Amino acid sequence: GAVVSQHPSRVICKSGTSVKIECRSLDFQATTMFWYRQFPKQSLMLMATSNEGSKATYEQGVEKDKFLINHASLTLSTLTVTSAHPEDSSFYICSAREGDTYNEQFFGPGTRLTVL
Amino acid sequence: GQNIDQPTEMTATEGAIVQINCTYQTSGFNGLFWYQQHAGEAPTFLSYNVLDGLEEKGRFSSFLSRSKGYSYLLLKELQMKDSASYLCAVMDSNYQLIWGAGTKLIIKP
């Protein structure tokens, strides 16, 4: 299957700093990428959907100025958590889809963010 | 509203069979996915059903009834490595994936 990588896998930062997470599709062109957040023992929560070259579509309740998403190429999307706070500590997972809307989403390995 | 229901936790014995149910109410339907997620890892794809019936793939099978808004994932010959959470997700009319909370499956020797 297709491979999606995420970097870093773990990050610990101080409150008030910004953290950038990269998501890359390694062997296919990802026309659409998704960013999810998952708190312990809870399901995946979609944060935003991004299509290459256009602005991301954020889900209700997700602050677009706090969670900056850039999808500048067909193989790379980035999520920047700005002015991180302890409540932003979570497991962030990206997924990528090639082509039309029926295609399977391939997930990255996730990034564990801890804000002190 | 949109809703996906699945049991929170199930326990089964190594070598046995377990069925994990999922019921859904969504605005439109463009397919149902099952994913496996081990603790601390990202989900991995198991199956996709868009037509009614049973799809078999090795030890895992997935069933769908669109009229009943119901699916199940059947795991046979359970192995210890099958201990994980199993997520049911439905693609709605906007091609968005609506996720269930997941079923934690515990396998005992």
Side-chain angles (χ1 to χ4, degrees):
Chain A
V3 179
V4 176
S5 70
Q6 251 181 272
H7 177 79
S9 58
R10 291 179 179 272
V11 58
I12 300 173
C13 68
K14 293 182 179 179
S15 185
T17 60
S18 294
V19 175
K20 180 186 281 190
I21 303 170
E22 292 187 349
C23 178
R24 293 181 184 273
S25 57
L26 299 185
D27 52 3
F28 68 100
Q29 294 187 325
T31 45
T32 307
M33 285 187 167
F34 305 86
W35 286 96
Y36 293 88
R37 182 168 50 183
Q38 186 175 34
F39 293 106
K41 299 184 179 180
Q42 293 187 23
S43 189
L44 297 171
M45 289 174 46
L46 180 66
M47 299 175 67
T49 302
S50 73
N51 292 297
E52 185 265 338
S54 59
K55 289 183 179 180
T57 302
Y58 289 81
E59 295 300 301
Q60 194 172 10
V62 178
E63 301 173 57
K64 61 180 181 181
D65 294 330
K66 179 172 180 62
F67 298 99
L68 303 178
I69 292 173
N70 184 284
H71 191 168
S73 78
L74 284 171
T75 59
L76 174 64
S77 176
T78 60
L79 167 67
T80 302
V81 183
T82 62
S83 187
H85 288 103
E87 57 265 31
D88 297 325
S89 298
S90 186
F91 192 47
Y92 290 86
I93 309 173
C94 74
S95 70
R97 184 176 67 199
E98 178 183 31
D100 65 40
T101 50
Y102 289 98
N103 283 345
E104 174 189 344
Q105 290 184 28
F106 298 97
F107 285 86
T111 297
R112 176 74 59 190
L113 170 64
T114 303
V115 184
L116 302 176
Chain B
Q2 309 207 89
N3 197 47
I4 310 282
D5 285 318
Q6 48 181 134
T8 303
E9 186 174 296
M10 298 182 71
T11 302
T13 305
E14 189 177 15
I17 299 173
V18 70
Q19 177 175 310
I20 303 174
N21 295 326
C22 171
T23 58
Y24 62 89
Q25 291 176 305
T26 56
S27 56
F29 180 83
N30 280 304
L32 185 145
F33 295 79
W34 283 97
Y35 282 84
Q36 180 191 60
Q37 185 178 27
H38 286 99
E41 299 180 12
T44 54
F45 172 81
L46 289 178
S47 67
Y48 171 68
N49 294 67
V50 67
L51 299 176
D52 289 351
L54 186 68
E55 295 272 348
E56 296 186 74
K57 192 186 292 185
R59 293 189 299 116
F60 293 4
S61 302
S62 56
F63 171 84
L64 174 67
S65 169
R66 289 172 296 172
S67 61
K68 295 181 179 178
Y70 167 70
S71 172
Y72 68 73
L73 179 69
L74 190 72
L75 293 77
K76 302 177 185 176
E77 302 169 17
L78 286 170
Q79 302 174 10
M80 297 304 292
K81 67 178 182 179
D82 297 330
S83 293
S85 287
Y86 291 85
L87 307 177
C88 172
V90 173
M91 186 172 281
D92 69 8
S93 56
N94 294 320
Y95 301 103
Q96 292 273 44
L97 275 181
I98 311 300
W99 292 86
T103 298
K104 183 178 180 181
L105 177 62
I106 300 168
I107 310 295
K108 295 185 174 179

